[in-house]
Amino acid sequence: MKKISYLSFLAALLITPAMAEYSNEKFQAEILEGLDLVGVRENIDKPDLAPGELGLDVYQTANSGYNPDVKLYIPTTMYVRAGGGLNLPFATSKAKVGTEEFSSSGSWTTQIGLGWNLSSYVRTEIDFQESTFNFSDIDNADATYQTIGGMLYFDLARRYIQTGDVTYRRKFVPFMGLGAAAGMYKFNGAGGADGFVVAAPRATIGFNVMLNDLIGIDIMYQYQMMIGNGFGWNTNEKGVNSISNIMASFRVNF
């Protein structure tokens, strides 16, 4: 029995290297050969292009057509505005001194405002404007007015465009606006027609140029029909007068 055990143990020692040699070389070779036959090994080395949107997102992010020049835009809710403008004498009523009339000259306006973007087409705004008027052929005489107004603006092109999950910002947007304002004006000097004034309607037309996602420049023409207590000095005439300005302002979105 001992001889049989010794012989069995010796046979096992002789067979083991052969099995190890098979496991380490032939077995691995057969596995790789089988993978080549079914195309699995090729997929391991280089994944196939996955079809469909999900595959595009998951497996082809490096080659999904990403354009580094396309930047995502997040629409904003509010904005602030600050700027000013020059008066247009030919489109502004003349001030009266008795029966004489004098054109505005070298007059300007400043403006600050707070606005809300209601949609890609519509926005609303409240603003404060202060104007200083000088007049030709009149020395040491000027006028000022301050008003608080409300405007409803209509952008004539979408400020942003949604394409799937991507939102693009438009750089150039024309717009028009309509609203009203109220305040006080004062013709400085003896006999000045001071008092309460209503600007209704106040109308604008212009365009916006975005410098980046948050800051843009507005260029616009503004017309105001001023309803008040005269327009000049030594006059009690009540009625309607027109004021026109070319305005430029920065609009900062947030």
Side-chain angles (χ1 to χ4, degrees):
M1 291 295 294
K2 290 183 178 181
K3 293 182 178 181
I4 295 175
S5 299
Y6 292 151
L7 291 175
S8 299
F9 178 73
L10 180 61
L13 290 177
L14 294 175
I15 294 174
T16 299
M19 293 181 64
E21 181 180 0
Y22 175 81
S23 299
N24 292 335
E25 296 179 2
K26 291 185 179 181
F27 178 74
Q28 294 179 15
E30 290 179 1
I31 293 298
L32 294 177
E33 182 179 0
L35 293 176
D36 287 336
L37 291 177
V38 299
V40 175
R41 184 182 180 186
E42 180 181 357
N43 286 339
I44 294 175
D45 294 339
K46 184 178 181 181
D48 287 340
L49 299 179
E53 293 294 332
L54 180 60
L56 184 67
D57 291 340
V58 175
Y59 300 106
Q60 294 180 262
T61 55
N63 299 310
S64 61
Y66 171 73
N67 185 352
D69 295 329
V70 176
K71 297 181 180 180
L72 301 184
Y73 171 68
I74 301 175
T76 57
T77 303
M78 301 180 68
Y79 64 87
V80 293
R81 178 202 302 284
L86 295 176
N87 177 254
L88 299 177
F90 63 88
T92 298
S93 297
K94 297 181 180 180
K96 294 182 179 180
V97 180
T99 59
E100 295 185 83
E101 295 182 339
F102 299 91
S103 299
S104 64
S105 175
S107 306
W108 68 91
T109 297
T110 57
Q111 177 192 42
I112 58 174
L114 177 66
W116 291 263
N117 295 313
L118 303 180
S119 72
S120 181
Y121 283 109
V122 182
R123 51 194 171 87
T124 187
E125 180 180 322
I126 58 173
D127 76 332
F128 171 79
Q129 292 191 28
E130 181 173 8
S131 296
T132 298
F133 286 94
N134 296 306
F135 299 92
S136 60
D137 302 322
I138 301 182
D139 296 330
N140 301 320
D142 59 18
T144 59
Y145 78 79
Q146 299 86 28
T147 58
I148 296 177
M151 295 289 294
L152 187 63
Y153 288 99
F154 302 92
D155 293 315
L156 305 181
R158 292 183 64 95
R159 290 192 308 278
Y160 56 87
I161 302 171
Q162 292 180 330
T163 304
D165 294 332
V166 179
T167 303
Y168 301 93
R169 169 182 55 81
R170 195 183 297 274
K171 295 182 179 180
F172 179 86
V173 178
F175 64 84
M176 61 183 299
L178 187 65
M184 302 292 293
Y185 64 76
K186 178 178 178 62
F187 283 80
N188 300 309
D194 305 334
F196 182 75
V197 64
V198 175
R202 174 191 284 175
T204 64
I205 186 167
F207 60 88
N208 168 258
V209 178
M210 293 300 294
L211 304 179
N212 55 42
D213 284 350
L214 297 179
I215 301 175
I217 297 177
D218 287 346
I219 305 294
M220 65 182 181
Y221 163 75
Q222 175 181 265
Y223 168 80
Q224 299 182 94
M225 187 174 74
M226 310 293 286
I227 304 172
N229 182 33
F231 201 72
W233 292 265
N234 297 318
T235 175
N236 293 321
E237 179 184 355
K238 298 181 180 180
V240 174
N241 296 278
S242 298
I243 295 177
S244 294
N245 297 302
I246 288 292
M247 309 285 290
S249 59
F250 284 99
R251 194 197 311 174
V252 181
N253 296 275
F254 63 94

